[in-house]
Amino acid sequence: RKEVEQDPGPFNVPEGATVAFNCTYSNSASQSFFWYRQDCRKEPKLLMSVYSSGNEDGRFTAQLNRASQYISLLIRDSKLSDSATYLCAVNGYSSASKIIFGSGTRLSIRP
Amino acid sequence: AAGVIQSPRHLIKEKRETATLKCYPIPRHDTVYWYQQGPGQDPQFLISFYEKMQSDKGSIPDRFSAQQFSDYHSELNMSSLELGDSALYFCASSRTSGRTETQYFGPGTRLLVL
């Protein structure tokens, strides 16, 4: 079982739709949580950090539930440019510690 | 804003050859991480350095070694290359400040072993 698990996708939704991704992690000692976006053959780019109180950045909302070891990402009013792979990421047993990625969820937005 | 720089961006080698990948972190970042991403895979952590000392080690083959230099740049040395080493190699950097820090990724080096 992977340490970080995500919805496998792919998600294929129309422009303007709302889409939600889920992610679970197994190590309760994990400290920090992130969503990265990765376009084909490019590097992962930080989309947002995820905090216990939940956080929002424009059309994107991230939630963390430590008790259930669950992270979510909600994208509202999706755009064609949102098409990418979304990687859930967990790190932080200590400073300078590695990131463990989920397998990624592929999102395709259709016109 | 300055980003992580990696060189070369593309590299073609033959089996049993050696390769050296370089990473220049974001200015004032003191921690460097190396990840390997095979086709259709998520990035897998290889190794990291903080203040020139190895800080964490993942699934890095014994054929690979890495170090961080006094200017904080890092090099990943790969010897006896195998076909399975063909992958994207990402370097990421962060600034350690007593808690876990956000990692920012470079554009990657695409290695093809023939």
Side-chain angles (χ1 to χ4, degrees):
Chain A
R1 182 170 177 262
K2 279 179 69 74
E3 199 164 338
V4 179
E5 300 221 44
Q6 289 185 243
D7 287 346
F11 286 61
N12 188 318
V13 302
E15 203 173 359
T18 296
V19 61
F21 302 141
N22 302 314
C23 171
T24 58
Y25 61 96
S26 59
N27 193 326
S28 59
S30 300
Q31 298 287 327
S32 300
F33 310 89
F34 309 92
W35 284 100
Y36 281 82
R37 170 199 167 123
Q38 187 173 30
D39 293 287
C40 188
R41 300 165 75 88
K42 298 285 184 69
E43 74 273 24
K45 290 192 174 175
L46 180 69
L47 183 63
M48 56 200 306
S49 302
V50 188
Y51 304 114
S52 296
S53 54
N55 46 304
E56 187 173 314
D57 182 3
R59 298 180 294 107
F60 299 84
T61 301
Q63 294 278 350
L64 166 65
N65 183 322
R66 284 190 182 269
S68 303
Q69 296 180 202
Y70 171 96
I71 307 160
S72 66
L73 177 68
L74 185 75
I75 306 175
R76 291 181 299 279
D77 187 24
S78 53
K79 313 289 184 192
L80 294 175
S81 58
D82 293 334
S83 298
T85 295
Y86 290 81
L87 295 162
C88 175
V90 173
N91 82 345
Y93 318 137
S94 63
S95 294
S97 63
K98 63 188 176 188
I99 280 180
I100 298 172
F101 287 95
S103 299
T105 302
R106 176 110 184 98
L107 173 65
S108 292
I109 307 298
R110 61 180 186 271
Chain B
V4 177
I5 297 171
Q6 290 188 246
S7 67
R9 295 293 307 278
H10 303 273
L11 191 58
I12 299 176
K13 292 285 185 179
E14 297 200 349
K15 279 172 48 178
R16 293 180 291 277
E17 285 192 319
T18 62
T20 297
L21 310 186
K22 296 185 179 183
C23 169
Y24 298 86
I26 292 171
R28 292 184 298 283
H29 280 197
D30 49 23
T31 308
V32 170
Y33 312 78
W34 287 96
Y35 293 85
Q36 178 192 58
Q37 187 173 27
Q41 306 288 316
D42 52 282
Q44 295 292 314
F45 172 74
L46 293 177
I47 195 166
S48 63
F49 293 87
Y50 166 62
E51 286 291 345
K52 286 122 344 183
M53 300 287 289
Q54 182 182 306
S55 60
D56 201 355
K57 193 171 182 181
S59 50
I60 184 169
D62 293 340
R63 300 176 289 109
F64 294 6
S65 65
Q67 56 183 323
Q68 186 181 31
F69 295 86
S70 58
D71 64 350
Y72 295 101
H73 95 272
S74 178
E75 295 184 3
L76 177 66
N77 299 293
M78 310 161 73
S79 62
S80 303
L81 286 168
E82 301 174 356
L83 297 179
D85 295 330
S86 296
L88 259 174
Y89 290 84
F90 291 112
C91 173
S93 74
S94 69
R95 182 171 180 173
T96 297
S97 56
R99 46 172 293 189
T100 51
E101 297 75 31
T102 302
Q103 296 180 24
Y104 296 90
F105 284 74
T109 295
R110 185 170 295 279
L111 172 65
L112 177 61
V113 181
L114 302 175

